[in-house]
Amino acid sequence: MSEFDTVIKNGMIVDGSGAARYRADIAIKDGRIADIGVIDATRGGRVLDAEGAVVAPGVIDVHTHYEAQLYWDPYCSLSGWHGVTTVVTGNCGFGFAPCAPDQRERAMKSMTRVEAIPLAAMQAAMPWVWVTFPEFLDSLERTPKSVNVMSYVPLGPMLLWVQGWDDAKSGKAPTPEQMDELKRLMREALDAGGCGWSAQRTPPQGGNAVQRDFDGTPMPTDMMSDETAIEMAKLLAERNDGFIMMTLNTGDVAKDWAHYEELAQVSGRPLLYNAVQCNNDKPNRHRRQLAWLEECRQRGARVLCQAVTVGTFTIFTFEDWNLFDDSDAWADATCGSMEDKLQKLADPARRPALIDGVKTIERGQQVSCFRDIVVMKTIDPALHRYIDKTLGEIADERGCHPVDAMLDIAVQDGLKTSFYFEPQVSRELLNELVNYPYAIYGVSDGGAHTKFFTGGRYATETIEKFVRQLALLDLEQAHWHLSGLPATTLGIEGRGILRPGNSADITIYHYDRPTVLAPEAAHDLPGDEWRRIQRAEGYRYILVNGEVTIENDKQTDVAAGQLLRNGKSARRG
């Protein structure tokens, strides 16, 4: 019997700590790194040849929405294809537990809009064998996984459970009895293995609610008070464990930032600020954010940066599009059935409000200028002449506003027209963002917005674009931001850095190979649904807990992933 399960030979190790690369072998035993150095191949039951290749830690993707997809996709693709070995789900306060049986359909409908996950896929594949959050984690643990999974405790379902739909969505403060029950539920969920809690707090007043419920109303956490958040933060201080993920935008930046700092102080735990993103049209926005984050660091406030480091090109149709929700007029017009949306978007009486709503949308993150949106594909042959033209060009040609041009085409095409846009980001601005030392890369939104966004490719894009093409980073910096930094700052035990005793979550690739392939439509979801994907090319091996899950870019269908309770791989009981 061999001394080690696997020996990785002759690799160039970039260990994720930021330390200089070095050539060595890695021995793996029982899912962990047993030794690093000069190791005879005969000591391993299996030998993986890494000659000429980089050996690096698996990527930790801290912002995903795979709560549903885990039940039909063990790889949490796109993430699992692109070097990610651990995903953190339950972000933004959204999730499915606790949830009473008679509320399950309503909970799934919420996710069809706020995170654009197809309802038919959820209905076909989610087992719904839980009611409480601990039961949900138990279900995740039983489910075969090819990546490791951690989960926040999402505050939305808890508010609904305790207050009911009407009171939670109205912003009514919990009664003392309800607050006691919220605390009990949170303690129970954290005891069961929740890695902290999450919330999206973007109230609709002032054009901030970029992601709404399926009926256009706010999500429960959008209406949550500062006081409730502070009480939840105190629970993390009690445990001296866990971390917070929060998106907060009330329109008062100074007040919001002060609240982030207060939560960090009250909890004593890391708080992830979601998110820092740069584009050419707003070149100083990320600079102000980074300056404030640096002030937090200098003062010792543990407010950390989630950085959008993936290109945010988007392809969408009005069959599914929901990310103009920061405008009330657009949110209302894009809610409902296909027939409802078609009728509302065709209504000339709505057009003035929709045109006016563009001002709000262009102030946000999604689209800097409506004129730059491109018609990518039409179904009606009479509209083919508009393909590859911008809305600005079409509007000038037709003598109308770009919104009228867009909606006239979409309506004539039965809402099946594909539109494309991509915020432009200069090398200078990208350099400022990716070289902020404490930026956790990603915000992949993996599992969400499945028909128009492919952010799960970000790890491969980091190597291909920032390291190879633009030379903004070296490999040591890249893997620190992708793996070591999220693991060490968030307390993800024994992962993110290649060291003896740590879990053997490892990627092996040739420096010049990792590539993001072109977008494609994949009809691979349950319920006869489809999604937009981008595959990876160039990974010789990806290992999760010492087992090969990807070999030469192909899934091995090995379910080596674990549920990480409180960031730890040890199983309960």
Side-chain angles (χ1 to χ4, degrees):
M1 186 174 181
S2 300
E3 181 180 357
F4 303 119
D5 299 323
T6 303
V7 172
I8 300 171
K9 286 292 294 181
N10 303 315
M12 183 65 74
I13 296 177
V14 180
D15 70 6
S17 72
R21 68 194 74 180
Y22 60 97
R23 186 174 297 282
D25 309 324
I26 295 179
I28 299 170
K29 181 72 173 178
D30 296 330
R32 295 186 179 274
I33 297 171
D35 204 359
I36 300 177
V38 179
I39 300 165
D40 195 302
T42 61
R43 299 169 70 187
R46 181 180 185 182
V47 178
L48 303 182
D49 179 17
E51 181 67 41
V54 174
V55 179
V59 175
I60 297 173
D61 188 347
V62 303
H63 192 110
T64 80
H65 294 276
Y66 288 120
E67 301 87 0
Q69 188 173 326
L70 270 161
Y71 290 103
W72 64 78
D73 177 11
Y75 279 79
C76 291
S77 60
L78 284 48
S79 295
W81 298 339
H82 286 270
V84 171
T85 55
T86 298
V87 302
V88 184
T89 192
N91 276 267
C92 301
F94 309 147
F96 298 105
C99 184
D102 64 354
Q103 296 299 310
R104 290 168 178 169
E105 189 75 7
R106 180 67 177 78
M108 289 188 289
K109 285 183 177 179
S110 286
M111 294 298 277
T112 63
R113 184 167 185 83
V114 74
E115 294 299 343
I117 302 171
L119 180 61
M122 289 186 282
Q123 290 172 326
M126 289 185 68
W128 285 110
V129 293
W130 65 86
V131 172
T132 68
F133 187 82
E135 290 169 344
F136 172 70
L137 288 188
D138 290 344
S139 173
L140 288 186
E141 187 159 43
R142 293 190 300 267
T143 299
K145 299 170 289 297
S146 297
V147 295
N148 303 306
V149 179
M150 295 170 58
S151 181
Y152 288 108
V153 183
L155 277 176
M158 288 199 164
L159 292 169
L160 293 171
W161 180 274
V162 171
Q163 292 187 276
W165 288 89
D166 292 341
D167 285 355
K169 284 173 163 286
S170 71
K172 184 177 180 179
T175 66
E177 294 76 18
Q178 288 173 334
M179 182 58 72
D180 287 344
E181 179 63 2
L182 276 174
K183 291 179 180 179
R184 186 193 69 79
L185 288 171
M186 179 59 72
R187 289 188 180 101
E188 177 185 72
L190 294 171
D191 286 344
C195 64
W197 59 261
S198 69
Q200 168 190 283
R201 298 177 60 199
T202 56
Q205 298 82 7
N208 303 308
V210 295
Q211 297 187 130
R212 306 195 193 201
D213 206 340
F214 85 102
D215 57 0
T217 59
M219 295 298 288
T221 54
D222 286 333
M223 307 305 293
M224 185 176 74
S225 68
D226 288 353
E227 291 73 22
T228 298
I230 289 167
E231 290 301 311
M232 295 299 102
K234 289 177 181 177
L235 298 183
L236 298 186
E238 285 180 7
R239 306 171 57 87
N240 193 30
D241 193 19
F243 52 100
I244 299 169
M245 174 269 150
M246 195 166 70
T247 302
L248 176 62
N249 183 7
T250 67
D252 186 335
V253 173
K255 178 177 178 293
D256 292 347
W257 287 357
H259 184 57
Y260 273 107
E261 294 187 56
E262 182 180 19
L263 289 175
Q265 180 180 13
V266 166
S267 68
R269 305 301 305 163
L271 192 153
L272 293 180
Y273 171 78
N274 188 57
V276 181
Q277 182 176 1
C278 56
N279 67 59
N280 292 351
D281 293 308
K282 302 176 181 68
N284 292 315
R285 179 173 56 195
H286 76 280
R287 291 168 178 158
R288 289 191 294 269
Q289 292 170 317
L290 293 180
W292 165 63
L293 288 162
E294 185 60 16
E295 291 171 6
C296 289
R297 187 183 74 85
Q298 294 289 345
R299 291 193 295 269
R302 299 175 74 180
V303 184
L304 306 172
C305 165
Q306 287 194 117
V308 180
T309 55
V310 66
T312 54
F313 77 84
T314 301
I315 302 169
F316 72 96
T317 75
F318 280 105
E319 293 177 288
D320 309 288
W321 183 242
N322 70 310
L323 290 181
F324 291 163
D325 277 2
D326 34 359
S327 160
D328 289 338
W330 280 95
D332 181 63
T334 55
C335 277
S337 66
M338 275 286 290
E339 293 74 16
D340 293 336
K341 288 185 280 191
L342 188 60
Q343 183 272 322
K344 288 187 282 189
L345 293 173
D347 184 358
R350 288 178 177 264
R351 294 292 176 86
L354 294 174
I355 290 171
D356 188 61
V358 167
K359 300 171 189 174
T360 299
I361 295 166
E362 290 181 342
R363 285 200 303 267
Q365 300 272 17
Q366 299 303 323
V367 179
S368 296
C369 181
F370 256 67
R371 289 183 60 86
D372 294 336
I373 296 174
V374 176
V375 175
M376 184 176 180
K377 179 182 177 182
T378 66
I379 304 302
D380 186 343
L383 299 171
H384 287 354
R385 63 193 179 96
Y386 295 122
I387 292 174
D388 293 333
K389 290 185 178 181
T390 68
L391 294 183
E393 292 170 335
I394 298 168
D396 291 344
E397 176 185 322
R398 295 174 58 151
C400 64
H401 192 279
V403 168
D404 285 317
M406 174 187 240
L407 296 183
D408 287 348
I409 291 170
V411 168
Q412 184 175 331
D413 214 22
L415 303 189
K416 296 183 182 298
T417 303
S418 295
F419 298 96
Y420 172 93
F421 64 86
E422 181 173 9
Q424 298 302 302
V425 185
S426 69
R427 186 182 188 278
E428 175 190 4
L429 298 187
L430 278 174
N431 185 57
E432 292 171 0
L433 180 59
V434 302
N435 275 296
Y436 180 63
Y438 310 104
I440 295 176
Y441 288 1
V443 194
S444 76
D445 253 3
H449 312 298
T450 56
K451 292 184 179 179
F452 40 83
F453 185 55
T454 56
R457 70 188 190 277
Y458 79 92
T460 305
E461 192 166 282
T462 297
I463 305 302
E464 179 183 12
K465 183 176 180 180
F466 300 154
V467 177
R468 291 207 314 261
Q469 295 176 1
L470 298 179
L472 301 178
L473 303 164
D474 56 29
L475 282 176
E476 287 84 347
Q477 292 171 294
H479 285 291
W480 163 248
H481 286 281
L482 291 170
S483 304
L485 177 62
T488 56
T489 56
L490 301 178
I492 303 173
E493 187 178 276
R495 299 181 194 272
I497 296 177
L498 300 182
R499 287 178 179 158
N502 281 1
S503 296
D505 295 344
I506 299 171
T507 61
I508 302 173
Y509 62 87
H510 282 283
Y511 171 81
D512 59 354
R513 288 290 313 283
T515 303
V516 179
L517 300 184
E520 58 181 294
H523 295 267
D524 61 354
L525 296 188
D528 198 30
E529 274 286 1
W530 69 279
R531 60 178 175 151
R532 207 171 298 279
I533 64 170
Q534 287 187 270
R535 298 183 185 275
E537 183 177 82
Y539 288 97
R540 190 185 293 185
Y541 299 104
I542 298 174
L543 289 79
V544 175
N545 297 308
E547 299 189 51
V548 175
T549 58
I550 296 284
E551 184 169 354
N552 294 321
D553 303 318
K554 304 296 184 183
Q555 296 180 185
T556 62
D557 296 328
V558 172
Q562 297 178 3
L563 174 68
L564 307 184
R565 297 181 187 265
N566 307 118
K568 302 172 180 63
S569 60
R571 299 175 189 273
R572 298 191 308 162

